[in-house]
Amino acid sequence: MTASGQPMKLSSLFMRTVETDVVVIGGGVAGLWTLAQLRKAGYEALLLENNRLGGGQTLCSQGIIHGGMKYALGGLLSAETESIANMPETWLQCLKGQGEVDLRGVRMLSEHHYMWSERSLASRFTTFFGSKMLRGRIEAIQGDERPELLRDPSFKGNVYRLNDIVLDTYSLIETLAHAHKSRIYKVTPQNCHLEVDDRHHTKAIFITAAGTEPIRIHPRTVIFTAGRGNQELLNDTGLKTPQMQLRPLHMVMMQHADLPDLYAHCIGTSAKPRVTITTHPGHDGQKIWYIGGELAERGVERDDRLQIEEAMQEIQALFPWKSFTGARWKTLRVDRAEPAQENFLKPDNAFAQMHGNNIIGWPTKLALAPNLGQQILDLLKADQIHPSAPVLQEPLPLLFPEFGRSISDIMAGVN
């Protein structure tokens, strides 16, 4: 998308004009969730996406809706831990159709996420994880309650069950998008232009798609939820703040004919999980482990070959009783976009901030999409922006965006 201080010189006789309360730019979970909340609140809202729905951070995430326990591995409940504590219950209500957004079509991969430690580290966490303050959020488990791979007699560590859930992000994007399909449109940087005044207000959005009449959208508010694409939108509107930071990851995928389901963090010697593993179905019936954690963070400086070698060594060291001979490996680089923080710290919460009539937002974590949506609603109400635009009676003559690639697609090499 590009910006201009002057309106495009197109004859109004051949231009369709659309009045709307809100235009959301960016079709990941942040934008789609926000669109759903806005429409439920009565706002007439449209969403524009210039690539694929969920094609950035969302489908490359591990789908974990966590309650922050992985941020407590230092033995303390931080602000980051507490800000996300209620998210699993919030999402569970939505999955039942009883929350702010109806997610009854979303596939749950696992009702729980787990955490395990090797025997040498077990005593470090026993007292803290068993404290009253964590009751209901984490529980030590034994025997058949443990994931299959951690029931092996060779494993001597501790296993904890978290109140976290794991979702199939592809079905999450599908469910959110199909519920509002008549309000979601594909644009390109070449055919979509923002008209911005000298106070950085977005006055209009022009769309000049081939084969259709030009469209001029008049939004009262524009919401940027484009992940790392927010930086380009900020540049287009001339806004210097908020600034953005990128937190890169080098994720690893492993596919094997005899791969058990595992959804778990491995506790290492630092305050971050040594690895985080989720399991995803493959197109050929073979399961895929999608591996993050410190392996992915420290692997940013490694090339693909070295990262795979490191992952192979790590997995065999963690599960010496299990053979992974014949596994297929692949890596994926992901940039997590966040509002810039002092000393490059991670934000504690979702972020939304209004500049002119633009709201810039990052959920910062998949689990915090509901929090971002609520912050945006609060900003609109605080600025006295209430639903007032007429209902769009006739859909715009624009294409619905394609969906991004799932982990299975990436592993299979599907474009």
Side-chain angles (χ1 to χ4, degrees):
M1 297 182 185
T2 59
S4 171
Q6 300 295 325
M8 296 178 65
K9 295 181 179 179
L10 296 169
S11 171
S12 60
L13 293 176
F14 302 100
M15 184 182 302
R16 179 177 176 183
T17 300
V18 177
E19 303 289 337
T20 192
D21 292 315
V22 181
V23 170
V24 179
I25 301 179
V29 67
L32 291 167
W33 191 291
T34 298
L35 177 69
Q37 281 197 283
L38 288 169
R39 297 199 68 205
K40 183 174 181 180
Y43 290 93
E44 185 57 29
L46 305 175
L47 184 147
L48 306 179
E49 167 59 46
N50 71 355
N51 198 336
R52 297 181 175 187
L53 294 174
Q57 288 176 249
T58 304
L59 290 176
C60 294
S61 74
Q62 293 186 276
I64 305 166
I65 308 301
H66 58 82
M69 287 310 303
K70 79 169 187 176
Y71 303 120
L73 295 184
L76 295 172
L77 294 179
S78 64
E80 189 174 22
T81 305
E82 294 306 279
S83 70
I84 204 168
N86 295 324
M87 285 299 105
E89 182 57 32
T90 297
W91 282 76
L92 281 170
Q93 291 302 310
C94 293
L95 290 166
K96 297 174 185 176
Q98 300 169 2
E100 285 297 313
V101 173
D102 189 347
L103 298 182
R104 282 176 290 181
V106 177
R107 179 186 178 195
M108 186 185 296
L109 295 177
S110 179
E111 294 181 358
H112 296 284
H113 201 68
Y114 297 85
M115 189 178 288
W116 90 92
S117 65
E118 295 176 318
R119 191 172 199 173
S120 61
L121 296 171
S123 61
R124 174 184 162 197
F125 299 97
T126 300
T127 301
F128 177 58
F129 286 167
S131 63
K132 290 182 180 180
M133 72 180 76
L134 298 183
R135 193 167 295 164
R137 296 170 66 177
I138 186 167
E139 177 186 10
I141 56 174
Q142 302 290 336
D144 290 345
E145 291 185 300
R146 294 180 170 186
E148 176 187 345
L149 191 59
L150 302 178
R151 298 176 202 160
D152 192 281
S154 301
F155 175 69
K156 304 300 183 183
N158 284 2
V159 182
Y160 302 91
R161 182 168 54 213
L162 311 180
N163 66 350
D164 306 0
I165 57 177
V166 187
L167 303 181
D168 174 39
T169 52
Y170 196 92
S171 71
L172 172 62
I173 292 298
E174 280 190 315
T175 299
L176 287 169
H178 283 307
H180 304 281
K181 192 169 184 177
S182 65
R183 298 299 190 277
I184 300 173
Y185 299 101
K186 173 71 180 289
V187 295
T188 70
Q190 293 72 40
N191 73 13
C192 186
H193 307 272
L194 310 183
E195 180 188 336
V196 182
D197 66 19
D198 56 9
R199 294 177 299 136
H200 310 297
H201 278 65
T202 301
K203 297 173 63 179
I205 299 174
F206 294 94
I207 304 173
T208 54
T212 68
E213 60 182 342
I215 300 166
R216 177 173 180 162
I217 303 172
H218 288 276
R220 297 175 65 199
T221 304
V222 179
I223 301 174
F224 301 161
T225 58
R228 65 175 297 166
N230 275 358
Q231 187 60 64
E232 183 176 347
L233 291 167
L234 288 166
N235 295 341
D236 287 346
T237 52
L239 290 169
K240 304 299 182 184
T241 58
Q243 296 183 336
M244 185 181 76
Q245 67 187 30
L246 295 177
R247 194 176 301 277
L249 297 171
H250 196 179
M251 305 289 289
V252 179
M253 290 167 279
M254 179 181 74
Q255 188 171 35
H256 189 263
D258 182 27
L259 205 58
D261 287 341
L262 186 62
Y263 304 89
H265 305 296
C266 175
I267 301 173
T269 56
S270 78
K272 297 179 180 179
R274 180 172 168 179
V275 296
T276 294
I277 299 173
T278 53
T279 309
H280 305 260
H283 291 310
D284 58 3
Q286 293 188 6
K287 294 175 183 176
I288 300 165
W289 275 4
Y290 189 38
I291 309 168
E294 278 197 304
L295 173 71
E297 292 190 16
R298 294 181 176 178
V300 169
E301 302 302 323
R302 303 185 192 109
D303 63 22
D304 293 356
R305 180 182 61 83
L306 289 176
Q307 180 67 341
I308 288 173
E309 288 180 2
E310 183 70 19
M312 292 172 69
Q313 294 173 16
E314 186 78 328
I315 292 300
Q316 201 59 63
L318 290 172
F319 311 110
W321 58 88
K322 174 72 176 174
S323 172
F324 297 101
T325 302
R328 295 177 56 233
W329 298 84
K330 205 166 202 176
T331 67
L332 175 66
R333 292 186 181 271
V334 181
D335 282 328
R336 293 174 293 176
E338 307 164 344
Q341 306 290 297
E342 188 175 356
N343 297 324
F344 198 63
L345 295 174
K346 287 198 293 185
D348 291 333
N349 214 326
F351 176 93
Q353 197 172 86
M354 180 170 272
H355 292 265
N357 69 335
N358 306 297
I359 296 177
I360 299 89
W362 289 277
T364 72
K365 304 171 185 68
L366 175 71
L368 286 171
N371 180 271
L372 174 66
Q374 188 57 54
Q375 286 190 44
I376 289 171
L377 285 175
D378 291 344
L379 285 172
L380 292 173
K381 291 174 183 176
D383 209 42
Q384 301 297 310
I385 300 172
H386 303 294
S388 64
V391 174
L392 184 67
Q393 299 294 337
E394 182 183 345
L396 302 183
L398 300 170
L399 295 176
F400 181 76
E402 296 177 353
F403 292 98
R405 296 183 298 164
S406 67
I407 298 303
S408 301
D409 291 333
I410 296 167
M411 190 73 202
V414 178
N415 291 324

